[in-house]
Amino acid sequence: MATHCKEYEFSQIEPHWQSFWESDHTFRAPNDTSKPKFYALDMFPYPSGAGLHIGHPEGYTATDIISRAKHAQGLNVLHPMGWDAFGLPAEQHAVKTGTHPASNTQNNISNFKRQLKALGFSYDWEREIDTTDPRYYRWTQWIFLQLFKRGLAYVDERPVWWCPELRTVLANEEVVDGTSEVGHYPVERRNLRQWVLRITAYAERLLADLKDVDWPDSTKRMQEAWIGRSEGAELLFELENKSLGDLKVFTTRPDTLFGATYMVIAPEHPMVAALTTPEQRDAVEAYRKKAAAKSDLERTDLAKEKSGVFSGSYAINPVNGTRLPIWIADYVLMGYGTGAIMAVPAHDDRDYEFAVQYQLPIIQVIESPASAEGASPKLPYTGEGKLIHSGPFTGLDWREAKKRITADLTAQSRGKATVNYKLRDWLFSRQRYWGEPFPIVWVSEADYLKALVARKSDMPEQPVTYTNQGVTHFALPLPEVSLPLTLPDVQSYLPSGTGESPLANVTEWLQIWINFETGQAVPASQPKPEGAAWIRGHRETNTMPQWAGSCWYYLRFIDPKNERAVADPKLLQYWGVPDLYVGGAEHAVLHLLYARFWHKVLFDAGVVPQSEPFKKLFHQGIILGEDGEKMSKSRGNVVNPDAIIASHGADTLRLYLMFLGPLEAMKPWNPRGIEGVHRFLQKVWRECIGEDGGVNPKISENAQEPAELTKLLHETIKKVTEDIDALRFNTAISQMMIFANTLQKASAVKRTTALALIQLLAPFAPHLAEELWARLGNQASVLFGPWPKYDASKLVATEIKLVVQVNGKHRGELMVAVGTTQDQAVAAANENAKIAAFLAGKTVKRVVFVPGKILNIVVE
RNA sequence: GCCCGGGUGGUGGAAUGGCAGACACGACGGUCUUAGAAGCCGUUACCGUAAGGUGUGCAGGUUCAAGUCCUGUCCCGGGCACCA
């Protein structure tokens, strides 16, 4: 049922159809496995207090257009939405106001939901999920347990930002210029006990499987760079002081071994103390202290100037016995390779800079183009070439030398080929309240061993432990049946003050008797319950980072209410992974890499049937303010979607967001441009609806519409259909505008022609389309199609325009019959007075003829 | 420093190596109107009255033909940054 307005009154039409869709359950995605499916996914938002930003509906409109078009094309479409609702702002709000973060979060969610509904997105709201809902995070915890029992989760001391004044841990983004963002107090690095996920165990697969996904090249390259695979060799250098054994280094350039003139170890290297001679002790100690005080940030920030100190010891070059002084310098990082290098200043920029600074020798061992010609070589030379000054290897190509030298040293047990990755294990805990609690209880070794007998399949091969004040605690996973482990109520959301989360102050929740078979717990203040499975323990106080919930949400949409599994295996099989995933490029590395990691673990666990979560990925571009600057409150250039919906309607906003330019481009918002698309929608209305509110009298079942209009319709169906599939919405809209302009000029229009236009427009401007579709006599939603098909025979013309060039310059056009030959075309050109003038008195040298397109006559 | 992406009218942008500027915005003129709004019809890259010439950041090159391919260079945006 349509509305009764006579003019295009979007403020009546849009709410009307939104409530129709809701009561009709138009967007429900049935688990009808007999139909082909299409799964279109948006990156779900963090429901901030500020509400929807104009950037949100950009990507969401794109997936909505695809979803609606696929629906009309007969596919079973899954197009869900949910909330990534754990996060810092809600916690900060709770600290400030003392109210539970959940209540503020729920308010924000309902505001977001209202705004999304006002945009008319075809989400199946019955599949809505919320990462802070215990029914959801129960499975986040369950997945953590899968990682845990596979030995992919461990505990380690890791440095975090600590602010003594605020007595709290800060996230990277809360630290600005070495002070806290709040109050500008000094911050320092402090080691805290952290959960870490062993993502490095999947480095090779995360890299290799990038070849199987349809992603933007730039995003693939960013992930490749982040994983940072490099092939090289680990080499053992004998130390002059033989009692100390060997020094192991990693190098990608074993071919330059003869050019090594010194060694460097990181200040944190375990052999620093042993290698430091008594006379160097003071200098080394001072240097180590200085390096330790530097943060990671400073260490990289001060990259311009290298620093180091001589240890007093020497290593022996395995290929030629040269003595190499061992230096300690912070340009070598303990976290990569072996934390020690052989320095080849002639062929490495960093070693060169250091060698010059400390006057260390530089020996060239790879021939550069300049040195090959006898000129003085420009060092450092990092390019390719033949080996020189390299004993038996002299004259070899560098690539060959790499293999030979590595093989030689391998034969002598002094080296082996290895692969290193830049990727580090993932720091997976936060000292916060508003996150998923870890389903872990810390128990004594004796109790752990007792539990191990009953729960062997839940435990990692190596127990996870930590030691505090001489006592070692063992990580006991909660039984799966006892999940979720919910967040307890707390008195205060303020951090504990010791660097632990506020949960550390909830003694009743923290200190417990736990039944290791059932996971039941009672506060330790109460008497121990009867039974051998009851043991004493304390809960983990860290919570999971925001990434956790977003790592697997695309799976939960498939079966959001399942209480027995992440999702039903049959439905995981049917819906599979998203066919299209749209979101910002700011998640190119972390979110997408973490989610791929979890997905692969779930694949290995047999939970999901495919090894990659996101087949096709697309990044929408950023919408800038009117001034071409990034939108921000402080600049005052923020566009509020609510205001546009009120002034022009949701359909106009959707259409304009897509018309602004290519989806992937960064583009400025132009408030005047929106009038253009609004006028277009009004024009479509007027062409369909007469002044009296009835169907425009020019539309009729058997109208004699111009042949030109029919042909253009089929061209438009073709172009719009193809452009939607390729996510080229701006050109699709422009084609519909061209069609509407032609439609307007026609005095008679077939009803089917008008209906086809409405169907093509429906994914873009669904409210208007539903209204017109109904008024032209249809009962069911326009969403149910079927999608118009173009007739290829209608596209062929009998006459076509041929562009004529003389010497490559445009000199005229000819209308010629299809199938015109080159000779006929040249003859026609000669008969055309304008073109003939340029040919008069000239000799034709060459003729280029592209049938149906161009005739280029080259003269003289 | 390294790796990407991009520079096209007054503006957003369009263009399988084949008419540069589609489609819009804005501007100007016309029509309708008592007047306006809306709608409709024109014009709108630059120089030139015109014929014509010149034009896709800049300089070259390949080609019958280059916004598109190649080389160099400048500018803007993004990512990474002592990873041996």
Side-chain angles (χ1 to χ4, degrees):
Chain A
M1 272 295 276
T3 71
H4 301 289
C5 52
K6 289 184 179 172
E7 288 177 359
Y8 173 38
E9 284 179 38
F10 55 84
S11 55
Q12 263 193 56
I13 293 169
E14 293 181 352
H16 171 80
W17 287 101
Q18 283 159 18
S19 62
F20 169 82
W21 292 328
E22 186 146 359
S23 58
D24 185 56
H25 303 287
T26 313
F27 308 137
R28 182 185 275 165
N31 291 326
D32 174 3
T33 57
S34 67
K35 271 172 95 180
K37 64 93 188 185
F38 190 88
Y39 183 0
L41 183 67
D42 294 302
M43 287 187 184
F44 68 160
Y46 174 75
S48 75
L52 221 55
H53 179 270
I54 199 77
H56 288 119
E58 188 195 11
Y60 299 167
T61 303
T63 50
D64 200 54
I65 291 168
I66 299 267
S67 298
R68 286 171 176 273
K70 294 287 173 193
H71 199 145
Q73 287 161 14
L75 281 85
N76 190 14
V77 174
L78 176 57
H79 186 37
M81 181 45 81
W83 317 105
D84 189 15
F86 278 125
L88 215 44
E91 177 145 351
Q92 283 165 338
H93 187 265
V95 168
K96 223 181 284 169
T97 62
T99 54
H100 198 285
S103 74
N104 184 241
T105 299
Q106 291 310 314
N107 287 342
N108 291 347
I109 285 176
S110 48
N111 187 41
F112 260 69
K113 201 166 163 181
R114 174 190 63 76
Q115 289 186 298
L116 291 177
K117 285 191 170 178
L119 279 151
F121 294 131
S122 60
Y123 294 125
D124 179 357
W125 286 108
E126 290 167 43
R127 292 175 184 259
E128 176 181 0
I129 58 176
D130 168 358
T131 56
T132 67
D133 185 334
R135 288 167 297 183
Y136 179 90
Y137 71 66
R138 166 185 184 178
W139 296 104
T140 310
Q141 291 172 333
W142 183 84
I143 295 170
F144 173 80
L145 292 180
Q146 308 310 304
L147 287 144
F148 179 81
K149 72 178 171 199
R150 283 176 170 69
L152 295 168
Y154 60 99
V155 164
D156 195 13
E157 293 272 321
R158 288 292 171 99
V160 292
W161 290 112
W162 169 257
C163 179
E165 194 69 30
L166 298 173
R167 295 166 64 78
T168 184
V169 172
L170 300 175
N172 274 332
E173 56 270 26
E174 294 175 291
V175 177
V176 180
D177 298 330
T179 62
S180 62
E181 194 186 13
V182 179
H184 295 286
Y185 301 114
V187 297
E188 59 190 46
R189 295 300 259 176
R190 190 191 256 205
N191 274 330
L192 280 181
R193 186 178 58 79
Q194 303 280 354
W195 281 92
V196 186
L197 297 186
R198 214 181 296 279
I199 190 173
T200 50
Y202 281 72
E204 191 60 49
R205 283 164 68 188
L206 288 168
L207 183 68
D209 291 352
L210 281 173
K211 69 177 185 323
D212 300 327
V213 294
D214 179 5
W215 286 18
D217 278 343
S218 60
T219 303
K220 284 194 191 185
R221 268 191 291 264
M222 275 164 69
Q223 292 221 347
E224 272 166 25
W226 192 262
I227 296 166
R229 182 182 203 274
S230 65
E231 285 182 27
E234 277 180 8
L235 306 180
L236 288 176
F237 283 65
E238 202 180 334
L239 293 164
E240 198 174 48
N241 178 350
K242 295 217 165 33
S243 66
L244 294 175
D246 295 321
L247 181 62
K248 193 198 269 182
V249 304
F250 174 74
T251 179
T252 55
R253 296 295 302 272
D255 52 315
T256 63
L257 186 50
F258 283 83
T261 57
Y262 64 102
M263 313 288 287
V264 185
I265 60 175
E268 301 86 359
H269 196 281
M271 288 175 77
V272 167
L275 288 168
T276 304
T277 56
E279 52 275 21
Q280 291 299 102
R281 187 129 292 152
D282 289 349
V284 168
E285 219 23 67
Y287 184 74
R288 270 184 84 165
K289 275 219 180 89
K290 216 176 82 198
K294 287 187 199 175
S295 68
D296 288 1
L297 220 70
E298 282 174 297
R299 264 173 82 156
T300 51
D301 250 19
L302 300 173
K304 294 149 218 150
E305 190 121 333
K306 296 226 172 350
S307 65
V309 60
F310 179 45
S311 70
S313 296
Y314 291 84
I316 306 299
N317 189 330
V319 284
N320 58 10
T322 317
R323 282 175 89 219
L324 302 170
I326 301 171
W327 286 66
I328 295 152
D330 65 4
Y331 82 91
V332 170
L333 308 174
M334 194 57 226
Y336 184 79
T338 62
I341 62 155
M342 64 173 206
V344 186
H347 304 293
D348 182 278
D349 296 322
R350 299 148 301 183
D351 296 344
Y352 184 84
E353 196 191 319
F354 191 82
V356 169
Q357 199 169 326
Y358 292 97
Q359 289 158 26
L360 295 160
I362 297 168
I363 300 170
Q364 187 186 0
V365 291
I366 303 285
E367 191 175 60
S368 73
S371 64
E373 286 166 17
S376 69
K378 196 168 160 274
L379 294 178
Y381 174 71
T382 54
E384 49 188 57
K386 282 194 166 83
L387 267 68
I388 54 175
H389 309 136
S390 293
F393 303 98
T394 299
L396 283 180
D397 179 74
W398 68 315
R399 270 175 284 256
E400 183 60 23
K402 258 186 202 184
K403 288 184 207 150
R404 293 265 200 100
I405 293 176
T406 306
D408 252 40
L409 291 170
T410 306
Q412 301 167 41
S413 305
R414 300 225 64 87
K416 64 165 197 246
T418 42
V419 173
N420 257 303
Y421 301 92
K422 283 186 219 173
L423 183 68
R424 303 297 154 80
D425 278 342
W426 173 14
L427 199 154
F428 189 70
S429 51
R430 302 290 183 266
Q431 293 68 50
R432 301 284 177 190
Y433 174 77
W434 194 228
E436 300 88 346
F438 282 84
I440 293 288
V441 176
W442 294 100
V443 299
S444 71
E445 180 168 18
D447 286 340
Y448 181 83
L449 293 172
K450 232 163 74 183
L452 185 61
V453 177
R455 306 259 322 274
K456 200 155 183 9
S457 64
D458 294 344
M459 311 289 215
E461 266 178 47
Q462 290 292 318
V464 172
T465 64
Y466 83 93
T467 304
N468 186 25
Q469 295 174 344
V471 183
T472 301
H473 303 275
F474 282 66
L476 176 72
L478 292 180
E480 288 174 13
V481 291
S482 69
L483 300 181
L485 172 63
T486 55
L487 281 166
D489 284 330
V490 293
Q491 295 295 312
S492 160
Y493 300 98
L494 281 167
S496 68
T498 59
E500 289 179 279
S501 83
L503 296 177
N505 293 336
V506 193
T507 315
E508 294 285 280
W509 178 84
L510 186 70
Q511 299 293 346
I512 48 169
W513 298 108
I514 172 120
N515 182 313
F516 63 70
E517 283 171 345
T518 64
Q520 280 176 290
V522 297
S525 55
Q526 293 177 21
K528 177 181 168 180
E530 290 298 312
W534 286 91
I535 54 176
R536 183 70 169 78
H538 65 274
R539 295 194 191 274
E540 172 60 61
T541 60
N542 283 312
T543 54
M544 298 186 199
Q546 203 180 349
W547 305 113
S550 62
C551 262
W552 69 282
Y553 73 109
Y554 58 95
L555 296 174
R556 191 62 178 172
F557 282 133
I558 288 171
D559 195 7
K561 298 190 174 73
N562 196 316
E563 289 181 3
R564 294 183 316 280
V566 161
D568 184 307
K570 280 199 294 292
L571 295 177
L572 284 167
Q573 183 71 45
Y574 171 63
W575 289 111
V577 294
D579 296 279
L580 174 67
Y581 190 29
V582 175
E586 66 272 22
H587 296 112
V589 177
L590 297 181
H591 160 63
L592 291 167
L593 195 66
Y594 294 156
R596 292 180 63 217
F597 166 48
W598 278 34
H599 195 91
K600 286 181 187 303
V601 174
L602 292 175
F603 174 67
D604 291 348
V607 176
V608 295
Q610 61 294 99
S611 63
E612 278 292 328
F614 309 120
K615 266 191 276 193
K616 181 178 170 130
L617 172 72
F618 200 91
H619 298 305
Q620 84 275 17
I622 296 170
I623 297 183
L624 303 171
E626 217 180 309
D627 51 6
E629 301 286 333
K630 221 170 189 159
M631 281 192 195
S632 72
K633 259 193 222 155
S634 57
R635 283 204 186 83
N637 60 355
V638 177
V639 176
N640 179 354
D642 283 343
I644 308 289
I645 292 172
S647 62
H648 292 83
D651 283 339
T652 297
L653 175 58
R654 292 168 56 116
L655 204 63
Y656 186 54
L657 282 167
M658 297 298 100
F659 188 62
L660 223 41
L663 185 61
E664 68 275 19
M666 184 184 278
K667 47 216 176 251
W669 178 265
N670 177 357
R672 283 187 304 208
I674 198 158
E675 298 294 342
V677 293
H678 190 63
R679 273 178 230 165
F680 162 67
L681 292 181
Q682 284 178 315
K683 182 179 292 186
V684 173
W685 175 273
R686 278 197 313 272
E687 290 308 309
C688 294
I689 305 297
E691 280 172 28
D692 60 353
V695 174
N696 188 326
K698 77 197 249 184
I699 298 173
S700 63
E701 210 68 57
N702 300 310
Q704 293 290 310
E705 68 180 20
E708 181 207 4
L709 185 68
T710 311
K711 179 168 176 253
L712 186 62
L713 173 68
H714 288 270
E715 285 170 5
T716 302
I717 293 170
K718 182 170 192 284
K719 174 134 181 83
V720 171
T721 307
E722 289 170 356
D723 279 356
I724 287 175
D725 274 335
L727 293 96
R728 287 188 303 248
F729 304 117
N730 55 331
T731 49
I733 294 166
S734 128
Q735 181 66 33
M736 288 188 279
M737 286 174 166
I738 293 169
F739 183 70
N741 289 341
T742 307
L743 189 74
Q744 180 187 267
K745 293 185 180 81
S747 52
V749 175
K750 281 199 179 109
R751 181 168 170 271
T752 51
T753 299
L755 287 175
L757 172 64
I758 291 164
Q759 285 185 286
L760 293 179
L761 184 59
F764 298 80
H767 310 88
L768 172 67
E770 291 280 23
E771 179 76 15
L772 297 177
W773 185 252
R775 291 211 193 189
L776 263 66
N778 293 288
Q779 297 299 318
S781 165
V782 66
L783 199 63
F784 293 99
W787 190 251
K789 284 200 169 61
Y790 70 90
D791 179 348
S793 69
K794 295 262 168 42
L795 296 178
V796 288
T798 50
E799 267 207 324
I800 28 177
K801 191 172 76 176
L802 185 68
V803 172
V804 181
Q805 297 181 336
V806 177
N807 286 347
K809 286 203 167 130
H810 180 233
R811 294 302 182 191
E813 288 150 15
L814 299 170
M815 288 309 293
V816 297
V818 173
T820 298
T821 64
Q822 177 173 321
D823 291 346
Q824 290 167 331
V826 172
N830 275 302
E831 278 166 35
N832 181 299
K834 205 176 153 201
I835 299 165
F838 289 95
L839 298 171
K842 310 268 170 83
T843 325
V844 175
K845 255 173 53 183
R846 179 172 176 185
V847 175
V848 180
F849 181 64
V850 182
K853 278 214 173 120
I854 204 155
L855 174 69
N856 187 10
I857 303 171
V858 186
V859 295
E860 263 170 337

